[in-house]
Amino acid sequence: MSMSRLHMRHLILALTPLALLFAGSALAHPGHLSHSHAGSFMAGLMHPLTGLDHLLAMAAIGLWSFRQAGALRRAMPLLIALGMLAGASLAWMGVPLLGVEFGIASSVLLAGVLLATLVRLPSVLGGTLVFAFILMHGHAHGSELAPGASALLYAAGFVATSVAITLTGRVLGEWLSRRDNRWLRGIGAATAAAGGALMMG
């Protein structure tokens, strides 16, 4: 298999979870779930895409992750899912996290710096940082659960989209690195600048 076909195959695999954005509407079919529950799933799918801070952080982490050690690279989807669920669970239990919005903005800034420098971190340190970043995002997602909505379906939606964004970023990062790392560094610098603006805003 040629290298270009291999990259295309990886990209398709990474984008597959995003198909849930379109397939999720099938949940509203009569006899399966109530309208509110179907809306819960779609709201979860869309939520990470509607906030620039969430989208930038997920994408930057994905772009950065492809250069990390195999253990951290393989664990990244699980770290994203667990961080999201842990943060949302804290919100649903009424446990506050101080400075969530500032923490989210900080995660965008730091994820951008990691990408701009193309730094490789020890797996434990890198994994801890990513989990801490995502915990804040998960808490924000969880706190915006609509009254009467299904927490389970809402969580399934935002976890699926978050993992899909990260995996897509990883594939894109590998593709860009084979051409010119300056693209990655530039995207990282722009992301860090956006994170700084969010912190000041």
Side-chain angles (χ1 to χ4, degrees):
M1 181 180 295
S2 68
M3 189 61 68
S4 60
R5 287 186 179 180
L6 184 61
H7 284 156
M8 183 60 68
R9 189 174 179 182
H10 286 168
L11 183 59
I12 291 171
L13 288 174
L15 289 172
T16 297
L18 288 177
L20 290 171
L21 291 172
F22 305 101
S25 60
L27 291 175
H29 191 279
H32 290 283
L33 292 172
S34 69
H35 177 73
S36 63
H37 282 187
S40 302
F41 184 67
M42 287 304 296
L45 282 173
M46 295 303 298
H47 199 276
L49 299 173
T50 57
L52 182 62
D53 47 3
H54 300 306
L55 187 58
L56 287 175
M58 298 297 112
I61 289 171
L63 287 164
W64 169 78
S65 68
F66 89 94
R67 289 179 55 86
Q68 303 311 299
L72 179 56
R73 191 168 59 250
R74 289 189 296 271
M76 195 62 67
L78 182 60
L79 285 171
I80 297 296
L82 290 179
M84 281 288 178
L85 291 174
S89 296
L90 290 175
W92 294 333
M93 290 187 295
V95 179
L97 291 180
L98 297 178
V100 170
E101 292 302 323
F102 184 81
I104 290 173
S106 299
S107 75
V108 176
L109 171 62
L110 293 174
V113 170
L114 290 175
L115 178 58
T117 58
L118 297 179
V119 63
R120 293 185 179 183
L121 297 178
S123 294
V124 173
L125 176 59
T128 301
L129 277 176
V130 169
F131 185 84
F133 292 168
I134 302 307
L135 187 73
M136 295 287 185
H137 290 266
H139 194 280
H141 288 323
S143 66
E144 295 179 11
L145 177 68
S150 167
L152 180 61
L153 290 173
Y154 180 64
F158 67 67
V159 167
T161 299
S162 299
V163 170
I165 293 169
T166 306
L167 289 177
T168 301
R170 187 166 76 188
V171 174
L172 181 60
E174 184 175 358
W175 184 79
L176 288 173
S177 72
R178 293 183 181 277
R179 283 144 183 82
D180 193 334
N181 279 335
R182 286 179 295 183
W183 281 103
L184 289 172
R185 294 184 185 278
I187 294 171
T191 301
L198 288 170
M199 291 175 70
M200 292 186 294

